[in-house]
Amino acid sequence: MERCPGRAQFGAAAAQRGGAGRDGRSCCWRHLQEIPASDSNVSTSFTWSWDPTKTSELLSGMGVSVLKKEKLGSENTPQELLVSLYPPQKRQKVKEKDKDFVIARRPRLLREPESGISWDALPDELLLGIFAYLPLTDLLKVSQICKRWQRLAFDESLWQTLDLTGKNLLPGVIGQLLPVGVTVFRCPRSCIGKPLFKNNRPLRVQHMDMSNCTINVADLHTILCRCDQLQNLSLEGLVLSDDVIRSIAQNSSLVRLNLSGCSEFSAEALEMMLISCSGLEELNLSWCDFTTDHIKAAVNHISTNVTQLNFSGYRQNLHISDIKTLVTRCPYLIELDLSDSAMLKPECFQYFHQLICLQHLSLSRCYQISPADLLELGEIPTLKTLQAFGIVTDNSLQLLKETLPHIKINCSHFTTIARPTVGSKKNKEIWGIKCRLTLRNPSGL
C-alpha cells in the first residue's frame, strides 16, 4: 500500500507533543492506515445510514426500553378516548448491574365527580330552611363563611325571636342584631353596652323585656326611640327619664306595660304617656318613686280599657279618694292589686262593689283593714281570690276560709300583672311566646 504523504507531518507533530508513548503511536498508526490517500482510486464520499432494526438492540444495551408508537396521535386525542382504547402500559424494567432504569408513560388520572350536591348549588330557600334549625352561636359562625351565607344568616325570617337573658352585651351588639328583623326581644338582667345603631330606621320589635338590666339611660332612650310597634314592654327596676317615657308614648298599640320599681320621670310625662297609650289592658305601676302628683296623674288618666292593674306600694300617697276616681274611670277591672297601701280603710270597700267584673283583689299589708272587715268582700259575687298577707293570722285565716269557702285566700304571694315571665326561672317564654334564638353558654356577645 502506498504511504500517506501526511504521515511524516503527523509523526513530527506527535513528537513535538512529547506526551505520547510507543503504544499511542502504534494505535494512531493503525487508524491512519485505514484512511485512503487523496490520490488513490478509493471513493472518499461518505453517506450516513442506519438500520432501524438495530435501534432496540442499541437501546437495550444502554438500559433503555423502547416506547411503542401509539396507533392514534395522542397529542390531539381526548384522554378519555386514549384510556378506553389503550389501557396504561405496564412498566418495563431493564436490570443491569443491579440497577433499575425505567421509562414509562404515566396516564393522566381522571378526577371523578364528587357524589351529592354542592352547597353552592342549593337555592336560598333551602339554605334558609337549614339555617332555621341552627342555634344562635352556630348561626353567627356560618355567617362568616362567605358573603352569600352572611346575607342568608341575617335574613329577617331567622331573627324573629331573640333571647339574651343575663348576658354581657358588648357595645354594638344591640345595634347590629335588633335591626335584622327581631320582633320578640328578651334580655332581662343583662349588661347592655352602647347600641351603636348604623341608621335611624325604626325597629320592628313588638315584645320587649329589659327588666332589671344594667344600661345607661341615654342608651335605653336610643333603643326605645326607634320602637313604635310595641305591644308588650317591661322595664321593671330601671331608671328612666322623661325622654324614655315620651318614647314609650309613641307606641299607641301598647297592650301590656310593666314599669314596676321605675324612677326618675315626672308626673307630666306619665300623664302624657297614659293619654297616648289608650289601648292598655295590663298596667303595672307598683313601687315607683311616685309623689302625690304622680298618683293623681295616674288615676285620672289610666286607660278605661285596663282590666288588670297593679298599683301597690304607695303607703302614704294612695288615699280613698284616689280609689273612687280609679274605680269610676276603670269599671271593668278584673284584677286589682293595692297591697302595701297603709292609708286604705274599710270605707273603700263600697267602691270595690262597683267593679262588676272583679275576680282577683290584693290588699296585703293594708294594716288599717282588720280580718273582720274582710268578710264584707264575700258579698262581691264575682270575687275568686283574695290576698291579705300581713292582715290575718293563721287562726283568723282558717276561720276566714271557712266563712268564705267560694274565695281562695292567700293563695299567691306575687302578682303576674303585665309581667313577661311567670312561674319558675326555667320558663323561657315572654308573654307566652317562646324565643328560638338564645345563648346557652354563660359568655357574652
Side-chain angles (χ1 to χ4, degrees), residues 21-198:
R22 182 178 295 178
D23 294 338
R25 290 193 297 269
S26 61
C27 178
C28 293
W29 176 258
R30 288 196 302 271
H31 286 284
L32 290 174
Q33 282 183 333
E34 298 177 0
I35 300 176
S38 57
D39 56 350
S40 65
N41 57 358
V42 180
S43 176
T44 58
S45 62
F46 181 78
T47 302
W48 176 269
S49 62
W50 179 257
D51 187 357
T53 59
K54 296 183 180 181
T55 302
S56 177
E57 180 181 353
L58 176 63
L59 292 178
S60 297
M62 298 172 58
V64 179
S65 61
V66 183
L67 291 176
K68 295 183 178 180
K69 186 176 181 181
E70 295 176 347
K71 296 180 180 180
L72 293 177
S74 60
E75 295 181 357
N76 298 318
T77 305
Q79 184 67 20
E80 294 81 5
L81 183 59
L82 289 175
V83 173
S84 61
L85 293 178
Y86 301 102
Q89 299 290 333
K90 294 182 179 180
R91 295 184 177 183
Q92 299 180 6
K93 297 183 180 180
V94 178
K95 293 184 178 181
E96 182 178 352
K97 297 182 180 179
D98 297 331
K99 293 182 179 181
D100 294 343
F101 185 82
V102 178
I103 293 181
R105 176 173 292 178
R106 178 179 296 174
R108 185 171 56 185
L109 298 178
L110 297 178
R111 184 176 181 181
E112 298 181 359
E114 297 180 358
S115 59
I117 302 176
S118 171
W119 284 94
D120 295 333
L122 297 179
D124 290 355
E125 294 78 8
L126 188 54
L127 282 176
L128 286 174
I130 297 173
F131 290 175
Y133 289 93
L134 298 179
L136 178 57
T137 52
D138 292 341
L139 188 61
L140 295 176
K141 290 179 181 178
V142 301
S143 68
Q144 303 176 8
I145 299 299
C146 60
K147 291 184 178 179
R148 183 193 179 203
W149 283 31
Q150 183 184 37
R151 173 177 59 83
L152 295 176
F154 283 98
D155 188 85
E156 62 181 30
S157 63
L158 303 177
W159 293 85
Q160 296 293 312
T161 59
L162 179 61
D163 187 351
L164 301 177
T165 300
K167 299 299 183 292
N168 181 24
L169 306 181
L170 300 177
V173 172
I174 295 295
Q176 181 180 2
L177 296 184
L178 289 188
V180 175
V182 176
T183 59
V184 181
F185 182 50
R186 181 173 185 257
C187 66
R189 304 180 303 280
S190 296
C191 183
I192 302 176
K194 288 185 176 297
L196 301 179
F197 290 101
K198 297 181 179 179

Side-chain angles (χ1 to χ4, degrees), residues 357-404:
C357 300
L358 186 62
Q359 298 181 12
H360 311 283
L361 179 62
S362 297
L363 296 173
S364 299
R365 294 169 296 280
C366 295
Y367 296 113
Q368 296 195 48
I369 300 175
S370 65
D373 297 330
L374 297 176
L375 294 175
E376 182 182 346
L377 298 176
E379 300 176 4
I380 301 177
T382 57
L383 193 61
K384 296 181 179 180
T385 64
L386 175 62
Q387 314 304 327
F389 293 99
I391 297 178
V392 297
T393 62
D394 293 340
N395 294 333
S396 59
L397 177 61
Q398 185 61 32
L399 180 61
L400 198 61
K401 288 182 177 181
E402 294 175 357
T403 308
L404 305 174

Side-chain angles (χ1 to χ4, degrees), residues 115-390:
S115 59
I117 302 176
S118 171
W119 284 94
D120 295 333
L122 297 179
D124 290 355
E125 294 78 8
L126 188 54
L127 282 176
L128 286 174
I130 297 173
F131 290 175
Y133 289 93
L134 298 179
L136 178 57
T137 52
D138 292 341
L139 188 61
L140 295 176
K141 290 179 181 178
V142 301
S143 68
Q144 303 176 8
I145 299 299
C146 60
K147 291 184 178 179
R148 183 193 179 203
W149 283 31
Q150 183 184 37
R151 173 177 59 83
L152 295 176
F154 283 98
D155 188 85
E156 62 181 30
S157 63
L158 303 177
W159 293 85
Q160 296 293 312
T161 59
L162 179 61
D163 187 351
L164 301 177
T165 300
K167 299 299 183 292
N168 181 24
L169 306 181
L170 300 177
V173 172
I174 295 295
Q176 181 180 2
L177 296 184
L178 289 188
V180 175
V182 176
T183 59
V184 181
F185 182 50
R186 181 173 185 257
C187 66
R189 304 180 303 280
S190 296
C191 183
I192 302 176
K194 288 185 176 297
L196 301 179
F197 290 101
K198 297 181 179 179
N199 52 58
N200 294 323
R201 296 176 184 174
L203 302 177
R204 301 183 182 180
V205 182
Q206 300 177 10
H207 315 276
M208 180 183 291
D209 179 15
M210 300 180 67
S211 303
N212 301 297
C213 282
T214 302
I215 184 173
N216 184 274
V217 178
D219 295 336
L220 178 62
H221 174 249
T222 301
I223 297 174
L224 290 177
C225 70
R226 288 171 169 78
C227 299
D228 58 4
Q229 302 180 28
L230 288 173
Q231 299 178 15
N232 300 309
L233 176 63
S234 178
L235 302 176
E236 182 171 343
L238 300 186
V239 176
L240 308 182
S241 65
D242 286 358
D243 289 337
V244 172
I245 295 298
R246 280 189 282 267
S247 297
I248 298 175
Q250 66 185 358
N251 295 272
S252 57
S253 59
L254 202 60
V255 176
R256 298 179 183 89
L257 177 61
N258 179 19
L259 297 181
S260 175
C262 293
S263 59
E264 301 298 328
F265 56 94
S266 65
E268 292 76 17
L270 175 63
E271 178 180 333
M272 183 269 298
M273 182 196 69
L274 293 175
I275 294 174
S276 300
C277 300
S278 58
L280 278 172
E281 298 179 4
E282 295 185 30
L283 179 61
N284 191 335
L285 294 176
S286 62
W287 295 98
C288 297
D289 64 340
F290 281 179
T291 63
T292 302
D293 293 337
H294 287 85
I295 298 295
K296 298 299 182 183
V299 298
N300 284 284
H301 298 92
I302 288 179
S303 171
T304 57
N305 295 320
V306 169
T307 58
Q308 300 180 48
L309 175 63
N310 188 345
F311 212 57
S312 61
Y314 303 108
R315 294 185 174 93
Q316 305 298 325
N317 296 331
L318 186 63
H319 299 85
I320 296 178
S321 59
D322 299 322
I323 301 300
K324 179 181 178 180
T325 304
L326 178 63
V327 169
T328 303
R329 184 167 180 82
C330 306
Y332 301 107
L333 283 171
I334 297 175
E335 184 174 359
L336 178 61
D337 189 346
L338 299 174
S339 301
D340 297 282
S341 299
M343 303 304 292
L344 296 185
K345 298 179 180 180
E347 286 78 2
C348 66
F349 288 1
Q350 57 180 317
Y351 304 114
F352 296 153
H353 285 276
Q354 298 177 16
L355 299 174
I356 59 177
C357 300
L358 186 62
Q359 298 181 12
H360 311 283
L361 179 62
S362 297
L363 296 173
S364 299
R365 294 169 296 280
C366 295
Y367 296 113
Q368 296 195 48
I369 300 175
S370 65
D373 297 330
L374 297 176
L375 294 175
E376 182 182 346
L377 298 176
E379 300 176 4
I380 301 177
T382 57
L383 193 61
K384 296 181 179 180
T385 64
L386 175 62
Q387 314 304 327
F389 293 99

